[in-house]
Amino acid sequence: MTNTLTIGERVAWYRRRRGMSQEVLAGLVGRTVDWLSKVENNRIDLDRLSVIKSLADMLDVALADLVAEPSLMEWTSDSGMRTVPALRAALMDYRNVTPFGASISAVEPPTVPVLQHELSTLWDAYQSARFGYVTGRLPSLIAHAEAAVSTFTGDDLDAARRVLGLAYQLAAVQLTKIGEADLAWIAADRGLGAARAAGDIVLTGTLLRSVTHALQATGRYREAVQLTNDAANYLEPNLSDPSPEMLSVYGTLFLAGSIAAARANDAITTRTFLQAADEAATRLGKDANHLWTAFGPTNVAIHRVATAAELGDVQVAVDLGPQVDTSGMPMERRVRHALEVARAYSAWNRADEALDTLLEAERMAPEQVRYHVLSRQLVLTWVRQQRTKPSTALVELARRLDVMD
């Protein structure tokens, strides 16, 4: 199916393929036939992942099948003509998972400082929402880091393992962003292996957060909540006198878990995780970006808005969202928050403000808006719901996001 179908239209398509009536599917998800009819006819915004996941489960399809992920990554001057397939090839290179791989590797490893510079450059680009640039260059970084791990010894080996773990984490978060959930899982798993080999508990903690995101990308929200608890227990013995990096990793772990809990419709655990993150942010004392976590009080506030939206507390999201000052945050965080504010405005029938917010987000980070399922589905739903001819601004945005012919 193309990107020009709303989630509701996809539900209808799969329901018919399964030979199910609206009465049957509505009953299986505990809703009325009237509700399902409105969903399939775009009269109700279907933007809560917990609800979408329940429909996907009853239709026996993947969550990604309903939300139209992944989305094709366009060729740009940043990405070149090698995007996700090249990254897939790097992640699935048999030489990285076989005992004789190092002996046949054709890549000459650079020095540790060069590796660290490559890593920092790509993480900074990710936080600037340059997704094509990151995707196009990650295969080279992974190949260089793998070669270094196979070649170096002593302190250089430990440093190379750290670079490799963080390179795989970057691959996991980037792939999650563009809807490649299965590849994100592979990347997170590889990163954890590198972190464990390095004996680095902070690095292991940040990779566990990536596994949490990978679980969420496939709709496994309760497993992500359980992993958050398990990972927190693993890190807690190191919190009596933690480094800023440890506090940041610990806090962002709970932020990821709070989203998972909200998507699992578990409001109590959501509040518990947000409180734990808030306490870590208070101990840290200010917004920071240790290990590219962008962790601090502002990121906690961003997640309060996002979890409110996931739980259906639209008024909380509308009231709190516009008040959060994200100007000091990395661009990726700023735009992700803007998408949540646009979603809240849309659910509150403040369509003009929703569109203005999304257009401003696109101005700041066009790639992020283009590839995020929330922005694409918001725009497509707005187009479908128009009773008169859509505005020029909306039509042009829909075409830029490739959700309208």
Side-chain angles (χ1 to χ4, degrees):
M1 285 184 283
T2 69
N3 285 343
T4 58
L5 294 183
T6 66
I7 295 174
E9 289 165 349
R10 289 170 182 270
V11 169
W13 191 87
Y14 281 112
R15 177 180 60 75
R16 296 186 189 107
R17 286 290 304 271
R18 293 299 187 199
M20 298 171 69
S21 67
Q22 287 185 331
E23 289 80 1
V24 169
L25 180 56
L28 288 172
V29 296
R31 300 280 185 156
T32 66
V33 174
D34 180 64
W35 175 86
L36 182 59
S37 176
K38 289 178 178 177
V39 164
E40 293 184 351
N41 288 284
N42 302 309
R43 286 181 287 161
I44 291 179
D45 289 346
L46 196 57
D47 58 4
R48 292 181 59 197
L49 281 174
S50 59
V51 179
I52 300 168
K53 179 61 167 58
S54 67
L55 287 163
D57 287 344
M58 292 304 102
L59 291 167
D60 191 29
V61 299
L63 179 65
D65 291 329
L66 293 188
V67 298
E69 288 190 318
S71 179
L72 178 68
M73 176 163 279
E74 299 292 326
W75 290 338
T76 67
S77 58
D78 256 0
S79 70
M81 296 175 65
R82 289 173 56 80
T83 57
V84 175
L87 185 50
R88 178 182 291 109
L91 291 172
M92 302 183 75
D93 188 340
Y94 77 92
R95 290 170 296 191
N96 297 334
V97 294
T98 56
F100 44 84
S103 64
I104 58 177
S105 174
V107 177
E108 184 72 23
T111 65
V112 167
V114 170
L115 277 174
Q116 292 170 335
H117 177 73
E118 285 185 48
L119 177 73
S120 179
T121 297
L122 289 190
W123 266 107
D124 290 346
Y126 168 78
Q127 291 196 320
S128 298
R130 295 174 63 192
F131 293 167
Y133 182 90
V134 173
T135 303
R137 286 159 179 77
L138 261 174
S140 175
L141 174 59
I142 290 172
H144 286 161
E146 286 282 5
V149 167
S150 299
T151 305
F152 295 166
T153 60
D155 291 343
D156 282 352
L157 173 57
D158 287 338
R161 283 170 170 160
R162 182 177 173 84
V163 170
L164 182 60
L166 287 169
Y168 275 128
Q169 186 198 11
L170 177 56
V173 298
Q174 173 68 87
L175 288 163
T176 300
K177 273 283 187 287
I178 60 177
E180 295 282 357
D182 292 340
L183 288 179
W185 179 268
I186 294 173
D189 177 70
R190 297 277 175 80
L192 271 174
R196 287 194 294 265
D200 189 325
I201 191 169
V202 175
L203 183 59
T204 300
T206 199
L207 263 299
L208 288 170
R209 173 168 55 94
S210 291
V211 176
T212 300
H213 285 302
L215 285 169
Q216 292 189 61
T218 55
R220 298 164 67 187
Y221 305 132
R222 296 195 182 279
E223 290 93 333
V225 169
Q226 183 59 53
L227 176 57
T228 300
N229 282 315
D230 293 342
N233 291 334
Y234 171 76
L235 295 176
E236 276 174 4
N238 299 274
L239 291 173
S240 58
D241 185 23
S243 66
E245 291 80 7
M246 173 61 77
L247 269 179
S248 298
V249 167
Y250 184 72
T252 48
L253 176 67
F254 280 112
L255 292 182
S258 72
I259 297 292
R263 290 173 177 172
N265 272 325
D266 186 346
I268 293 175
T269 301
T270 300
R271 288 194 294 270
T272 299
F273 284 175
L274 285 173
Q275 180 61 33
D278 189 53
E279 291 170 1
T282 300
R283 292 181 70 181
L284 188 62
K286 61 180 180 180
D287 290 332
N289 198 24
H290 301 292
L291 285 181
W292 297 280
T293 55
F295 182 69
T298 301
N299 210 350
V300 175
I302 287 172
H303 280 75
R304 289 193 189 280
V305 176
T307 53
E310 291 291 352
L311 289 167
D313 297 331
V314 179
Q315 184 169 354
V316 172
V318 169
D319 291 344
L320 180 60
Q323 298 179 22
V324 180
D325 180 6
T326 63
S327 59
M329 301 295 284
M331 185 59 71
E332 183 274 331
R333 288 285 81 205
R334 294 178 63 188
V335 172
R336 183 64 185 87
H337 177 65
L339 296 185
E340 289 296 347
V341 173
R343 169 163 67 159
Y345 279 146
S346 180
W348 216 239
N349 293 319
R350 293 164 63 174
D352 290 343
E353 290 165 286
L355 178 57
D356 288 345
T357 301
L358 196 52
L359 287 170
E360 175 61 16
E362 187 198 28
R363 185 192 66 76
M364 293 190 294
E367 284 187 81
Q368 185 171 354
V369 171
R370 176 180 176 81
Y371 295 125
H372 202 286
V373 63
L374 180 54
S375 53
R376 298 200 309 270
Q377 287 298 323
L378 279 173
V379 170
L380 185 53
T381 301
W382 295 340
V383 170
R384 291 286 198 274
Q385 290 177 341
Q386 295 294 309
R387 296 180 180 177
T388 58
K389 184 178 179 180
S391 68
T392 300
L394 179 55
V395 169
E396 290 177 350
L397 177 59
R399 287 175 175 157
R400 289 195 298 273
L401 300 189
D402 195 29
V403 296
M404 184 176 180
D405 297 327

